Amino acid sequence: MKQHILELLEQTLAILKSQGLIDNDFQPRLQVDRTKDKSHGDFATNVALMTAKAAKKPPRELAQLLIDTLPQSEHIAKVEIAGPGFINFFVDDNALANQIEAAYQSPNLAIAEEQPQTIVVDLSSPNLAKEMHVGHLRSSIIGDAVARTLEFQGHKVIRQNHVGDWGTQFGMLLAYMEEKRAANEEISMALSDLESFYRAAKQRFDESPEFANRARDLVVELQSGNEQCLALWREFNEISLAHCQSVYDKLNVKLTRADVRGESAYNDDLTQVVADLDAAGVLTEDQGAKCVFLDEFKNQQGDPLPVIVQKKGGGFLYSTTDLAAMRYRQNVLHADRVLYFVDQRQGLHFQQVFTVARKAGFVSNSTSLEHLGFGTMNGEDGKPFKTRSGDTVKLIDLLVEAEQRAMELVKQKNTELSQQELETIANAVGIGSVKYADLSKNRSSDYIFSFDQMLSFEGNTAPYLLYALTRVSNIARKANDQSINYQDAAIVLAEQKEIDLANKLAQFAETIKRVADRGTPHVLCGYLFELAGTFSSFYEACPVLSADTEAQRNSRLKLAKVTERTLKTGLDLLGIETLERM
Ligand code: ARG
């Protein structure tokens, strides 16, 4: 509808231009917004205020002229001037009813069609030397929700789990694996807890110079392709990736081994990357290190900041790998957009490597590179989330605790469920709550992790929405049980609460577009929360199964069905498992 009104306004301006009433070069940025107060109509625009000067007319006079010139539309019931020259549009209830009917008929709820693009989503990307910790939660689930939304729009999405599987810390880990093996210890056992394995290896490294030397040798051998080293390295990564996979499965995040393309995959290309930067004329040698100096980024003294791509000893860096990955994503994967779901604190890194890639001609202007950063998850004390003893919290432990807490909660509410049913519900509620609490916050802000808040049945939470969905589903199920046939019924919007619900449902399409364009799942969460609230006021005011007439009942059933599908689809896109009952 918004798009439709924008088109009407564009046509109107073109007519006024052709009549010489507005200068031909004048290109205002047209804006149409939903109104907050429905007595002002459904949509409003400030175009008359913006264009008044160019048209040399007072805004209200221009607004009237625009309204008089506006092409007729069957979707618009009425257009009015308001205040200093705003134009308000009242959508025709029939048009609104048709829109909901179209959503009812369509498998994708009639969201707007997009030109399909190839979109690479860089998500999760933990370092394999350690176990996934809470910091990896945000990248995994925000990236997954946006990837699902883009797929829903019809884009080709390629997930890339850019795991840290290369680098100096592997020397230490391999040396420790060797020691364990020499002592005839079972390596897979030792690696069942990666975190303590890492700590023990680090301790050996710090206390024994021989061990440290062996570790350094192993890095060199690994990098020069020594088969024995590689075999150990592969063994380590296999185990670590299996840990990750169990977290993804528990989290209901769509990532598999096929999506893993770690840092090591680019290793063979790094020498070439540096050579190509040199050939592009952007490389400088500074104290033995190879760098690209960028005027765009200055230090406090005002000197350009270097991006180092090769260290003095010849070693490559995180940036070098990212440059290689960018080329791969453009040239091999043919990405139109590349989205990076990585901690906000890496913002400068991404701005720098994006700039280098463009300067060197590695990435063309038609490929969009977007760092979609996120803030930190903090504990209730407002400081980064830690265990009581001050260690980082393993993601898996957090998830298990969420499931246990959800189990307590569900048991209190439901006494008649079987153990099996209880577990299914507790898992969905526990994991869903952790995910939803995170996804519903603005991506770029820090937030406070609180089990009590996220497991509450009140407010913008997973339990509230999951429960709201089961209530809507119940109505549709009862209609089914009574063999009510409403598929062919007409949607009639007579009562205000029916119109309100239809209006809310009609906003799904624009919500999806915003989430997809900006990578902001919280917009979808906010929308679903509002939809659930709008449905419950509708349901209070408008009985469905016991409506006065059959026609009214069937129309309301259709509204309920579209609500059910919208809530369910929305939660699916967020990666939240839904329930039949709870
Ligand atoms: N492994 C990195 C970390 O844990 C994140 C990698 C993000 N992706 C990328 N292409 N740099 O901080």
Side-chain angles (χ1 to χ4, degrees):
M1 193 55 69
K2 205 171 187 172
Q3 199 52 40
H4 176 64
I5 295 174
L6 280 169
E7 279 160 21
L8 292 177
L9 287 171
E10 257 157 36
Q11 290 170 26
T12 310
L13 285 175
I15 296 173
L16 294 182
K17 282 180 184 175
S18 73
Q19 294 172 346
L21 291 167
I22 301 179
D23 190 12
N24 256 326
D25 300 334
F26 186 66
Q27 296 288 4
R29 242 184 72 90
L30 293 180
Q31 203 181 323
V32 171
D33 295 309
R34 277 197 184 266
T35 53
K36 297 233 158 56
D37 173 357
K38 290 295 162 214
S39 65
H40 296 153
D42 300 293
F43 293 93
T45 178
N46 62 355
V47 61
L49 297 159
M50 307 234 327
T51 317
K53 214 161 158 199
K56 299 188 197 70
K57 284 194 195 318
R60 279 187 70 98
E61 193 179 312
L62 178 64
Q64 191 57 52
L65 182 63
L66 286 164
I67 291 176
D68 295 341
T69 316
L70 204 71
Q72 280 289 337
S73 159
E74 51 170 356
H75 302 309
I76 306 293
K78 172 166 86 164
V79 188
E80 277 180 3
I81 305 185
F86 289 103
I87 302 178
N88 293 340
F89 295 86
F90 293 75
V91 173
D92 184 85
D93 290 343
N94 267 328
L96 184 58
N98 288 341
Q99 207 180 332
I100 307 306
E101 179 66 35
Y104 177 81
Q105 300 293 346
S106 145
N108 68 358
L109 292 158
I111 60 158
E113 248 175 64
E114 298 279 321
Q115 179 74 25
Q117 291 185 316
T118 299
I119 305 178
V120 168
V121 176
D122 182 316
L123 77 168
S124 194
S125 309
N127 293 329
L128 296 188
K130 295 194 181 186
E131 205 147 319
M132 284 177 85
H133 57 82
V134 298
H136 297 113
L137 176 73
R138 306 209 71 189
S139 177
S140 308
I141 65 178
I142 301 174
D144 184 47
V146 174
R148 288 172 189 244
T149 307
L150 292 165
E151 276 166 342
F152 182 63
Q153 284 187 310
H155 297 297
K156 175 177 173 195
V157 172
I158 306 177
R159 290 168 170 77
Q160 293 280 279
N161 193 356
H162 189 87
V163 297
D165 59 357
W166 203 244
T168 45
Q169 73 272 49
F170 283 92
M172 179 180 94
L173 296 167
L174 298 193
Y176 196 54
M177 280 169 87
E178 273 188 349
E179 274 197 359
K180 291 258 155 197
R181 189 148 283 169
N184 268 328
E185 279 181 54
E186 191 61 69
I187 293 204
S188 58
M189 266 305 283
L191 285 178
S192 64
D193 187 339
L194 277 183
E195 216 51 39
S196 42
F197 190 87
Y198 186 92
R199 244 180 285 134
K202 178 89 175 61
Q203 194 180 342
R204 287 288 291 134
F205 187 88
D206 292 339
E207 74 193 7
S208 155
E210 286 123 66
F211 182 92
N213 281 337
R214 179 69 189 143
R216 286 190 203 99
D217 287 348
L218 281 172
V219 177
V220 177
E221 280 180 43
L222 178 66
Q223 305 211 327
S224 56
N226 174 313
E227 211 19 76
Q228 258 171 344
C229 279
L230 278 170
L232 267 188
W233 170 80
R234 270 186 222 112
E235 189 178 339
F236 181 91
N237 284 344
E238 272 316 306
I239 295 174
S240 183
L241 283 170
H243 280 249
C244 296
Q245 193 59 47
S246 62
V247 172
Y248 299 144
D249 294 344
K250 197 177 236 341
L251 268 179
N252 187 26
V253 159
K254 275 202 219 163
L255 274 176
T256 67
R257 282 299 291 273
D259 303 311
V260 173
R261 192 173 166 89
E263 294 184 9
S264 64
Y266 301 100
N267 194 40
D268 292 343
D269 192 32
L270 301 181
T271 314
Q272 195 59 44
V273 164
V274 175
D276 291 342
L277 288 172
D278 201 12
V282 298
L283 204 67
T284 313
E285 203 160 308
D286 191 50
Q287 298 163 41
K290 300 204 166 114
C291 333
V292 181
F293 280 93
L294 297 170
D295 288 331
E296 292 86 342
F297 304 91
K298 300 222 156 78
N299 65 12
Q300 278 167 350
Q301 284 74 46
D303 304 323
L305 275 177
V307 178
I308 305 175
V309 291
Q310 190 165 20
K311 289 190 278 194
K312 194 169 169 197
F316 298 105
L317 294 101
Y318 186 50
S319 309
T320 331
T321 310
D322 260 324
L323 287 167
M326 269 185 264
R327 289 218 284 205
Y328 172 78
R329 291 164 183 187
Q330 162 164 298
N331 299 339
V332 181
L333 302 180
H334 304 294
D336 296 303
R337 289 174 79 189
V338 187
L339 313 182
Y340 293 84
F341 290 91
V342 186
D343 194 311
Q344 198 113 278
R345 288 170 290 189
Q346 294 192 28
L348 179 62
H349 161 78
F350 283 108
Q351 292 323 309
Q352 288 181 321
V353 291
F354 292 170
T355 311
V356 172
R358 298 226 190 264
K359 271 216 161 111
F362 285 5
V363 174
S364 71
N365 283 336
S366 61
T367 307
S368 159
L369 301 168
E370 304 164 44
H371 172 218
L372 303 173
F374 49 81
T376 310
M377 172 169 141
N378 289 327
E380 306 222 23
D381 57 0
K383 302 209 187 82
F385 199 78
K386 290 270 157 66
T387 59
R388 233 168 250 162
S389 57
D391 291 332
T392 47
V393 179
K394 282 191 208 168
L395 191 44
I396 196 78
D397 293 346
L398 186 87
L399 300 178
V400 169
E401 180 171 353
E403 285 176 337
Q404 283 163 352
R405 288 185 184 240
M407 181 58 120
E408 292 308 311
L409 191 75
V410 179
K411 262 197 208 147
Q412 279 166 20
K413 290 220 167 218
N414 277 301
T415 40
E416 80 283 16
L417 293 177
S418 71
Q419 185 62 21
Q420 171 117 45
E421 278 177 302
L422 279 174
E423 263 166 36
T424 311
I425 298 175
N427 291 3
V429 171
I431 303 297
S433 297
V434 171
K435 292 180 82 172
Y436 191 85
D438 190 304
L439 293 168
S440 59
K441 310 291 186 310
N442 194 328
R443 168 165 56 70
S444 48
S445 0
D446 295 349
Y447 79 95
I448 291 187
F449 183 94
S450 156
F451 273 125
D452 290 340
Q453 248 170 43
M454 68 182 65
L455 285 166
S456 163
F457 274 85
E458 269 147 52
N460 189 8
T461 64
Y464 170 78
L465 277 175
L466 290 172
Y467 186 62
L469 173 61
T470 60
R471 286 186 49 192
V472 187
S473 301
N474 233 342
I475 302 170
R477 182 154 354 101
K478 277 192 191 140
N480 236 1
D481 292 347
Q482 296 171 26
S483 308
I484 298 176
N485 183 343
Y486 58 92
Q487 282 80 334
D488 304 318
I491 295 179
V492 182
L493 303 174
E495 311 267 337
Q496 189 53 44
K497 295 286 177 190
E498 293 172 326
I499 298 174
D500 292 346
L501 177 59
N503 257 315
K504 201 31 90 201
L505 289 169
Q507 289 169 28
F508 182 63
E510 65 207 51
T511 305
I512 291 300
K513 187 162 168 46
R514 272 183 59 193
V515 175
D517 289 351
R518 305 186 200 173
T520 48
H522 77 277
V523 172
L524 179 55
C525 297
Y527 169 77
L528 295 175
F529 178 57
E530 281 170 24
L531 174 60
T534 310
F535 183 84
S536 85
S537 357
F538 154 84
Y539 194 50
E540 250 165 57
C542 304
V544 177
L545 290 167
S546 54
D548 290 340
T549 66
E550 223 168 82
Q552 196 177 46
R553 178 197 67 192
N554 291 353
S555 163
R556 288 176 182 173
L557 272 171
K558 261 194 172 167
L559 287 175
K561 192 70 200 171
V562 178
T563 307
E564 181 195 18
R565 282 184 52 214
T566 307
L567 285 173
K568 170 125 179 56
T569 306
L571 289 167
D572 282 346
L573 294 179
L574 294 169
I576 306 241
E577 231 171 295
T578 56
L579 294 162
E580 299 272 312
R581 58 183 289 190
M582 65 186 280

